[in-house]
Amino acid sequence: IARDAYRPPVWAGEQRRGTFAKLAILSQVQFEVVVFVDNDCRAIQNIDHLARTPTPSFVFAAQDNGLNSGVMVIKPSIKDAQMAARIIASPFAPLRWIWSKGFDAAAAAAAAAATGGRSDATDQEVWTALYNAHNVSVFELPTQYNFRWHLLMSHAQRC
């Protein structure tokens, strides 16, 4: 995989351009499993057990319209890394990926035309598109693995 394969795509959201670097974990095939914890997360209990969860694993969140990449468990794969690089190279954001239906090219083209090709897309749309393309089941981690103060979660719900 080329060193710059995970540069932010042209359609990336301005505030979210740094999130695409997370996709580089797909090429870390020297590891059997990678447990990724975002830099704004704080573990307050031992999370070693995450290395034994099914892969791929993500927290799903309604406000993210699906999976959230703040905490994830991934099995690195060159095949997946190459597919992610192809998705990023696409002129359109994969915003029209639907878990049960796949890619709606017409809807993506219309959205791109309306916004000049820009969107507020992040790496999360790429992860969704990647696993949808392979028809891979994604394991849902409990929401406490990505605790958010603004959702008024209680301290008891934290990981």
Side-chain angles (χ1 to χ4, degrees):
I1 304 297
R3 175 186 256 184
D4 64 347
Y6 305 110
R7 280 196 176 150
V10 296
W11 41 262
E14 202 60 41
Q15 300 291 323
R16 311 269 199 282
R17 297 179 68 74
T19 66
F20 293 89
K22 296 178 195 180
L23 295 161
I25 67 175
L26 288 168
S27 60
Q28 301 297 309
V29 294
Q30 70 270 32
F31 301 108
E32 222 175 280
V33 171
V34 173
V35 176
F36 178 87
V37 179
D38 218 344
N39 65 354
D40 65 348
C41 293
R42 181 175 71 180
I44 61 172
Q45 296 179 26
N46 186 307
I47 59 170
D48 289 352
H49 60 279
L50 287 176
R52 295 182 300 276
T53 62
T55 60
S57 295
F58 292 84
V59 172
F60 281 71
Q63 66 277 14
D64 296 319
N65 296 314
L67 60 82
N68 179 285
S69 62
V71 176
M72 54 187 164
V73 183
I74 304 294
K75 178 175 178 50
S77 154
I78 292 299
K79 181 177 124 183
D80 288 348
Q82 291 168 337
M83 172 66 95
R86 283 195 298 276
I87 293 168
I88 289 172
S90 168
F92 304 117
L95 294 176
R96 300 299 179 253
W97 282 87
I98 301 169
W99 280 100
S100 61
K101 297 182 180 173
F103 188 65
D104 183 342
T115 63
R118 289 238 178 255
S119 71
D120 63 350
T122 70
D123 67 299
Q124 293 170 168
E125 283 79 20
V126 178
W127 292 109
T128 300
L130 172 68
Y131 294 122
N132 190 358
H134 293 312
N135 199 25
V136 171
S137 295
V138 175
F139 181 77
E140 183 175 0
L141 293 171
T143 56
Q144 66 260 30
Y145 285 104
N146 204 352
F147 180 85
R148 296 180 183 187
W149 288 107
H150 69 276
L151 297 179
L152 302 177
M153 297 173 77
S154 73
H155 284 287
Q157 294 174 291
R158 296 176 77 175
C159 172

